[in-house]
Amino acid sequence: MTGDLLRDITQIGLVRKLGVPRIPVLRRYEPGAPLLDGPALVGVIGAGRFAEPIRALLTAAGVADAGDEGRIAAVVLDASAVRTIDELAGVQQFLTPTMRRLQPCGRVLLIAPEPDPADPEAAAVAQAFDGLVRSIGKELRAGATANLLVTTAETDPAALDPSVRFFLSARSAYVDGQVVHVGPPVGRAVDPAAAGDPAPADEPLSGRVALVTGAARGIGAAVAETLARDGATVVAIDVPAAGDALAKVANEIGGTALQLDITAPDAPQRIVAHLEERHGRVDVVVHNAGITRDKLLANMTADRWNAVLAVNLRAQLAINAALGEVLSDTARIVCVASTSGIAGNRGQTNYAASKAGVIGMVRALAPQLAPRGVTINAVAPGFIETEMTAKMPVATREAGRRINSLRQGGLPVDVAETIAWLARADNGGVTGQVVRVCGQSWLGA
Amino acid sequence: MTSVRRAAVIGGNRIPFARSNGAYAEASNLDMLTAALDGLAARFGLAGVEVGEVAGGAVLKHSRDRDLTREAVLGSSLAPTTPAYDVAQACGTGLETVVLVANKIALGQIESGIAAGVDSASDAPVALNDDLRRVLMKLNGAKNLQQRIAALAGLRPGQIVPELPRNAEPRTGLSMGEHAAITALEWGITREEQDELAVASHRNLAAAYDRGFFDDLVTPFLGLSRDSTLRADTSVEKLAKLKPVFGTRGKNAAAATMTAGNSTPLTDGAATVLLGSDEWAAERRLPVLAHVVDAQTAAVDFVHGEDGLLTAPVFAMPKLLARNGLTFADIDFFEIHEAFASTVLATLKAWEDPAFAEERLGLDAPLGPIDRSKLNVTGSSLATGHPFAATGGRITATLAKLLHEKGPGSKGVISICAAGGQGVVALLEGA
Ligand SMILES: NC(=O)c1ccc[n+]([C@@H]2O[C@H](COP(=O)([O-])OP(=O)(O)OC[C@H]3O[C@@H](n4cnc5c(N)ncnc54)[C@H](O)[C@@H]3O)[C@@H](O)[C@H]2O)c1
């Protein structure tokens, strides 16, 4: 149930005959579902190193090769070796015939090089992929998405695996038009033999301890449920006043509830003491708790300003600073930002400042944490169907839902799936990134 | 049976207590107890976990509440294979469940257990009047139409008047408040000191909420996140305006001191305490806040004898201290249940009184005065309210946390008076 009446109406045959375009019902992940519900086409331009491992990954996952004809569930193009405008033309020639073959909720995933500052043409071509992928996203229909992975010469093909899986699968339903850099894994190189058994495919977070703030409802509750579904043990935090809802979430997923206000001066110490005592470490930290106190800047009060900055930014900084040794050596920190923090939003100077601040914090901390093997990323949700958005005036809500490539709002689980991907121990190559979960919103694209 | 060990208090959970016919007017004992257990399960990761046992109870029980605690377990997120049983010792029920579970852990019969209590004064059982009940039982037993008609012929209009549960002693017909008023008069407890104690209770409770003390002891329920009886802004001046409500008849009416402000209101709520062996706690990486060292019950003959209804703890405490070689000087926290402010004050006076010590307690010297700054430091029943069977669990978890904050070896005592002239006291040591 999304409460999206228009989307439901457009599924009706008669309505579609009237020429109303169908609002797609997105494919979403269910445990045990196949990676793709159809064959895939994997292409490579020049000496790309990633196509072969990706083909192997798909074969292992039971995905057939699409060949030259028929519908395709996903197109992957390894363009990581493309450096010239002529080679870029090859990208167009490969992609063009695939566009009409793409089935509903299909996937286009491009792999491009990092811009090379020493070679203006290569740098220009690398940057060209941004425009290309975002335009593909806007051309695709029926719930299909297009995303871009940017690699460097040091990117280990294995480091790409979790991202390839995520962007091809139904887990990335509402992630569209995104550009993600995948570098060499952070921290010391781990000897695969010493690393122990890899997590089982259906429980990629098995054995991991996750902390989720603001977990009593909305996106936070979905994050807690999704991380637990993927095998994590979850410590769910929310304010004491939300304790009953929090207890329900915790009991349903076999996790624990920790009632505290993250803005309390002793909150960081209490969180760390709790993690040390109960688990001895933390592997995943999700800073999700957030509030809005909207007012035009002309009417803004210090109270409203400070309350938003305290919850959305100051608490995240304070907790990150306190985590220290309790962070495990494959820890993943994910901070929930917002598209408002990227695009700005009327009436949300305080909120947008706090969320842009989160992005700044992530970029500053990523290089500091990398030597320890820890990544930190931001996830920026767009319009997500929650209690918060259900309370918006109808017109604003309807506009918010439609102004994106998928022409609908996302679900809390869409944000949660994105966080679960960033939380994986084997996803050490993605850090300092801002991933939007916005259906490729037109705002601040 | 193996060796005796001390049971650990791991933590607790209660729902905020609500003035009767307030936030929980529509909630049953079962609803409240289940919610309190679920909050405990969430705090300690017990969803789906089989605990050694759950001992619980309620003072006011419906006939449908047979095996109330077991039903609550079945409705909770605990493993359905967790055994449970009901206990009843009036207002001592809650603390008695702690003693029972702790003793089984001490003896090695179980590794973990939950002590619990609940009461609703809003959803109190209303029984059929005894005459009507007899008619209906006869009707139920009737074998044919004739017998049925004969049974129905026994119906009288007066039988429709239901039996409301009364807060009165069956043997004296006096309410608990009236009993307490007699004791207050006997010990010369003044209005001022009662009001001061009430104000301290409210202030201490409010301050404890404000510093987040209850963040890991209370889980909200039905929209309530703090005890609804709590009046953070109350003052001796405000309380002085209230009219006495107990001891207002008879020759001593002019000396009545007990008001709605210094007596505990009827309340709804539930509380739970998680206990376990140190090993069980360590295996699950759960904290040990304190250990249950010892407990003592006592009863007085308030019907024919000279003792007040709520004075049994006066007799239990010296036994407990003596058995453990302790004096009041060794105690860091005193948790004395505030059924009425006058009850607490009369209890303290009795412990300070040399003649009483010698004649009634058989002691050479009185237990002595206690340092008031160690009494009910995070508030007690006057401020939280007192859902009868839930009070013991509330106090045990609170005291265990206070002792843990104070540090290993710190000591605290709990004293709870109960209807029927009974009392339960316990000794906890910080871990
Ligand atoms: N819903 C959207 O469309 C949307 C869009 C962009 C970003 N976001 C962000 O996603 C996050 C979750 O949003 P939501 O829609 O689920 O909101 P929500 O209001 O439904 O949930 C937020 C939760 O955080 C908790 N919380 C608030 N202050 C807290 C504090 N001081 N300490 C502990 N917990 C606290 C709340 O009690 C609540 O349970 C927020 O950071 C929000 O800014 C949401």
Side-chain angles (χ1 to χ4, degrees):
Chain A
M1 233 300 289
T2 63
D4 188 343
L5 206 65
L6 183 56
R7 192 200 68 180
D8 297 345
I9 290 172
T10 62
Q11 309 307 317
I12 300 167
L14 180 70
V15 176
R16 287 172 54 212
K17 283 208 191 86
L18 293 173
V20 180
R22 177 190 256 190
I23 296 171
V25 176
L26 303 183
R27 181 168 69 103
R28 287 197 168 81
Y29 175 74
E30 295 286 341
L35 180 61
L36 284 167
D37 56 2
L41 196 66
V42 180
V44 57
I45 311 276
R49 296 177 294 128
F50 301 104
E52 266 326 301
I54 290 172
R55 282 199 187 101
L57 181 156
L58 290 175
T59 308
V63 177
D65 181 6
D68 293 338
E69 265 171 47
R71 306 289 267 173
I72 347 177
V75 181
V76 185
L77 179 62
D78 176 2
S80 59
V82 171
R83 297 181 68 85
T84 65
I85 292 174
D86 287 344
E87 286 165 338
L88 188 62
V91 173
Q92 175 267 319
Q93 281 173 23
F94 174 81
L95 290 176
T96 293
T98 66
M99 288 295 105
R100 289 192 210 285
R101 293 173 65 192
L102 208 59
Q103 66 189 43
C105 297
R107 296 285 184 262
V108 174
L109 185 61
L110 303 189
I111 298 160
E114 187 91 30
D116 176 357
D119 179 344
E121 185 177 351
V125 166
Q127 193 69 39
F129 282 95
D130 274 36
L132 170 63
V133 121
R134 291 190 171 135
S135 300
I136 298 173
K138 294 190 175 182
E139 289 184 9
L140 292 176
R141 288 288 171 265
T145 63
N147 292 287
L148 177 66
L149 298 177
V150 176
T151 57
T152 68
E154 291 88 52
T155 306
D156 172 6
L160 222 57
D161 270 19
S163 299
V164 170
R165 282 180 191 280
F166 172 70
F167 282 107
L168 294 189
S169 75
R171 293 178 192 253
S172 61
Y174 200 62
V175 184
D176 195 7
Q178 295 308 293
V179 178
V180 175
H181 290 246
V182 187
V186 292
R188 287 172 287 115
V190 191
D191 175 8
D197 296 338
D202 54 340
E203 286 200 351
L205 302 179
S206 164
R208 286 169 80 71
V209 175
L211 178 82
V212 182
T213 68
R217 64 177 211 191
I219 293 170
V223 171
E225 283 154 16
T226 304
L227 298 184
R229 180 204 67 194
D230 282 355
T233 300
V234 177
V235 177
I237 292 186
D238 213 299
V239 288
D244 37 359
L246 186 70
K248 263 196 198 87
V249 170
N251 284 336
E252 266 162 27
I253 62 173
T256 55
L258 176 59
Q259 303 185 142
L260 56 79
D261 181 336
I262 56 166
T263 63
D266 63 348
Q269 292 90 293
R270 277 160 71 188
I271 290 171
V272 169
H274 183 91
L275 290 168
E276 260 162 11
E277 175 164 51
R278 299 285 191 91
H279 305 281
R281 64 170 207 286
V282 66
D283 302 299
V284 181
V285 176
V286 183
H287 292 293
N288 163 79
I291 60 169
T292 52
R293 294 285 181 274
D294 296 358
K295 273 273 180 243
L296 292 179
L297 185 56
N299 304 325
M300 184 61 66
T301 61
D303 279 358
R304 284 173 171 268
W305 179 273
N306 291 332
V308 167
L309 271 290
V311 178
N312 297 8
L313 185 55
R314 198 192 293 276
Q316 292 198 16
L317 276 162
I319 293 167
N320 287 340
L323 285 171
E325 289 310 302
V326 83
L327 278 179
S328 76
D329 50 13
T330 59
R332 308 282 174 251
I333 302 175
V334 186
C335 307
V336 178
S338 166
T339 48
S340 291
I342 299 168
N345 200 10
R346 188 181 148 85
Q348 290 198 317
T349 49
N350 50 357
Y351 182 76
S354 74
K355 294 298 189 177
V358 166
I359 293 171
M361 172 188 69
V362 162
R363 290 186 176 142
L365 281 175
Q368 287 185 26
L369 292 168
R372 292 189 49 194
V374 175
T375 68
I376 181 166
N377 293 285
V379 165
F383 185 97
I384 305 295
E385 306 276 359
T386 62
E387 282 174 53
M388 190 175 99
T389 51
K391 283 189 199 118
M392 292 167 79
V394 181
T396 321
R397 183 171 70 228
E398 200 42 40
R401 272 180 183 150
R402 303 303 160 211
I403 53 167
N404 60 71
S405 294
L406 298 171
R407 282 173 300 161
Q408 58 191 293
L411 300 183
V413 70
D414 298 329
V415 183
E417 296 282 13
T418 308
I419 290 172
W421 154 62
L422 293 168
R424 295 170 61 128
D426 62 359
N427 197 359
V430 178
T431 192
Q433 303 294 296
V434 182
V435 183
R436 304 184 355 164
V437 184
C438 63
Q440 198 180 22
S441 168
W442 303 350
L443 300 176
Chain B
M1 197 182 88
T2 54
S3 62
V4 173
R5 55 188 178 177
R6 283 177 177 179
V9 181
I10 293 166
N13 182 58
R14 67 180 179 92
I15 56 174
F17 294 168
R19 198 175 272 267
S20 68
N21 298 312
Y24 306 161
E26 305 290 318
S28 66
N29 277 340
L30 186 58
D31 297 336
M32 292 191 288
L33 184 54
T34 309
L37 286 172
D38 273 339
L40 188 77
R43 187 158 300 139
F44 296 103
L46 301 178
V49 172
E50 180 184 305
V51 174
E53 71 178 25
V54 181
V59 172
L60 299 177
K61 267 169 103 173
H62 287 270
S63 55
R64 66 160 189 259
D65 283 343
R66 196 195 69 184
D67 301 322
L68 169 69
T69 311
R70 172 65 182 149
E71 289 303 324
V73 167
L74 286 173
S76 77
S77 53
L78 293 170
T81 49
T82 301
Y85 56 94
D86 282 17
V87 177
Q89 195 180 34
C91 302
T93 304
L95 188 53
E96 194 63 64
T97 63
V98 172
V99 175
L100 288 166
V101 171
N103 285 352
K104 284 200 187 181
I105 291 168
L107 290 176
Q109 293 171 348
I110 52 176
E111 289 302 313
S112 63
I114 296 170
V118 58
D119 255 293
S120 169
S122 307
D123 184 34
V126 175
L128 296 178
N129 140 335
D130 265 350
D131 284 350
L132 177 59
R133 193 173 52 78
R134 276 189 208 104
V135 172
L136 294 178
M137 292 310 286
K138 230 181 230 168
L139 185 65
N140 198 30
K143 298 206 171 50
N144 54 40
L145 187 64
Q146 244 168 342
Q147 284 183 9
R148 251 172 249 150
I149 291 168
L152 282 171
L155 279 178
R156 299 280 178 279
Q159 290 165 340
I160 306 301
V161 180
E163 289 275 338
L164 287 169
R166 286 171 308 162
N167 187 5
E169 281 299 318
R171 285 167 197 283
T172 61
L174 291 182
S175 75
M176 209 171 265
E178 293 300 328
H179 272 286
I182 296 168
T183 307
L185 203 62
E186 271 172 20
W187 285 98
I189 310 297
T190 67
R191 169 77 184 263
E192 291 67 37
E193 47 183 340
Q194 293 178 50
D195 287 350
E196 277 165 19
L197 191 87
V199 168
S201 189
H202 285 279
R203 296 222 171 123
N204 287 344
L205 182 68
Y209 268 113
D210 288 344
R211 75 170 166 105
F213 182 80
F214 292 109
D215 283 3
D216 58 359
L217 291 172
V218 176
T219 304
F221 184 59
L222 299 183
L224 206 59
S225 39
R226 288 189 179 193
D227 309 306
S228 69
T229 304
L230 173 59
R231 296 286 173 273
D233 60 350
T234 195
S235 64
V236 174
E237 293 71 43
K238 280 186 193 166
L239 292 186
K241 296 199 183 95
L242 300 173
K243 282 206 179 69
V245 290
F246 297 116
T248 53
R249 275 167 302 209
K251 60 179 166 33
N252 295 314
T257 54
M258 292 175 55
T259 67
N262 57 38
S263 308
T264 306
L266 289 174
T267 326
D268 308 334
T272 61
V273 183
L274 178 63
L275 297 135
S277 65
D278 284 349
E279 298 75 32
W280 189 81
E283 252 164 49
R284 308 190 67 84
R285 297 190 73 120
L286 295 176
V288 172
L289 302 182
H291 288 101
V292 179
V293 179
D294 202 356
Q296 176 72 47
T297 53
V300 295
D301 180 4
F302 67 100
V303 183
H304 312 98
E306 57 197 304
D307 293 308
L309 176 73
L310 301 177
T311 62
V314 172
F315 297 86
M317 187 64 77
K319 288 185 190 161
L320 179 76
L321 292 179
R323 191 161 59 233
N324 291 278
L326 298 173
T327 69
F328 275 173
D330 302 310
I331 305 301
D332 300 287
F333 296 105
F334 294 85
E335 284 290 335
I336 306 181
H337 159 50
E338 300 166 340
F340 304 93
S342 67
T343 315
V344 177
L345 295 163
T347 301
L348 296 179
K349 281 222 165 134
W351 285 335
E352 288 168 22
D353 190 298
F356 191 87
E358 206 184 317
E359 291 160 23
R360 301 299 319 285
L361 301 177
L363 301 174
D364 299 339
L367 295 185
I370 68 166
D371 179 348
R372 286 296 191 88
S373 69
K374 298 177 175 174
L375 174 67
N376 299 346
V377 298
T378 54
S380 192
S381 306
L382 286 167
T384 61
H386 168 44
F388 311 121
T391 292
R394 170 184 71 76
I395 295 179
T396 303
T398 299
L399 177 60
K401 182 167 176 183
L402 285 169
L403 291 169
H404 189 58
E405 285 182 345
K406 181 90 182 171
S410 56
K411 290 178 180 61
V413 289
I414 302 171
S415 163
I416 293 181
C417 57
Q422 306 206 80
V424 190
V425 300
L427 172 67
L428 266 58
E429 187 176 295

